[in-house]
Amino acid sequence: MSRLALPYRTPPATVVVPEGWRLVLGDEELPLPEALDDWDYQMDVELRRAVRIDVPRARAGAGLPADAVLGLAAIWTATGSNLRGCLRRVPLTGDGVQDIELRGTLRGVDLGGVLTLDTVLVLSGVSSTHAPFAPHRAGSLLWSDQATLRLQGDAPQFPMTVIDFEHTSFPTEAAWHLQIGAHLHSAAMGSLLLLVNERNETVATAFANAGKPRAVDRAVLSMVYADCARIMLEHALQQEQFVDGADFPEDSLGATLTNLFHRLFPGSTVHDLRLRREHSPSLFASELQAATQIFKEA
């Protein structure tokens, strides 16, 4: 394993004693899992962890004076949205051993893909005096660790919102509608939007309970995701540029549809699937139903 070689002194790793990240679900907490299979863009992610820091030892180990201001921060990055931000930042100005809680809530609409959590101890305040080879620039990294949470499972994921279909051009009694762009080279995040009709309490409640779904919620979500997969694949097969070997930009709509195709129909070709849909639509529907494993864990 490679290690980052910094051009200045850093304290021993033992000055920081972190507990593991925990996922907060209502009144319950659980250790951060590898994946959150029931997540969707409607579900915010609340996280917390406790960290104990021996501040005087951290300063001394880095060759910093006693008045140096340190900072502890949790930085998040989401591959699905290409967004990055700070979950929490805490200045460390006192002495002695300090117990810090890093806690915050990330909006589901800002996430997707793999969520990376970097916890970092940095030099916050620049000191006029410092020992040789000691860090002296604000932001100098003194300690860090990293954890990940996969939010994007096998189901197609995209931004969503709950609205009243009464004020739209969609049928008032429809439960949901997937908006999908026509340009395959456009960014996927701006080309897909799942609209859920708030008038349909069964579906709206299922998405509201996505973090802790009941059996009926799992069944509804399974149906929605299967239908969205159908719409996305049918949309792809109608596009002339969606062919075997097509090269679409990363995170584009075309790349998202290509990944979905290969995940649901591994070993098949776009040409063969397009022919089956044209000449045997009922077989195509059944194969897609099987590929999405609808109701498998409902």
Side-chain angles (χ1 to χ4, degrees), residues 29 43 63 69 80 101 108 124 133 165 198 202 217 245 274 292:
E29 291 186 7
M43 179 182 176
V69 179
E101 181 182 55
S124 295
F133 303 108
F165 278 21
E198 66 179 20
T202 301
D217 299 326
R274 183 175 277 123
T292 57

Side-chain angles (χ1 to χ4, degrees), residues 225-227 229-231 233-234 237 260-295:
Y225 290 142
D227 188 51
R230 175 191 62 80
I231 295 171
L233 277 183
E234 289 187 338
L237 295 174
L260 178 64
F261 165 74
H262 287 301
R263 187 164 66 240
L264 296 182
F265 293 95
S268 184
T269 66
V270 172
H271 177 72
D272 289 341
L273 191 64
R274 183 175 277 123
L275 288 177
R276 287 207 299 280
R277 178 178 176 272
E278 292 176 356
H279 299 293
S280 186
S282 61
L283 176 60
F284 169 79
S286 297
E287 289 181 340
L288 184 56
Q289 188 182 109
T292 57
Q293 299 183 331
I294 189 172
F295 301 138

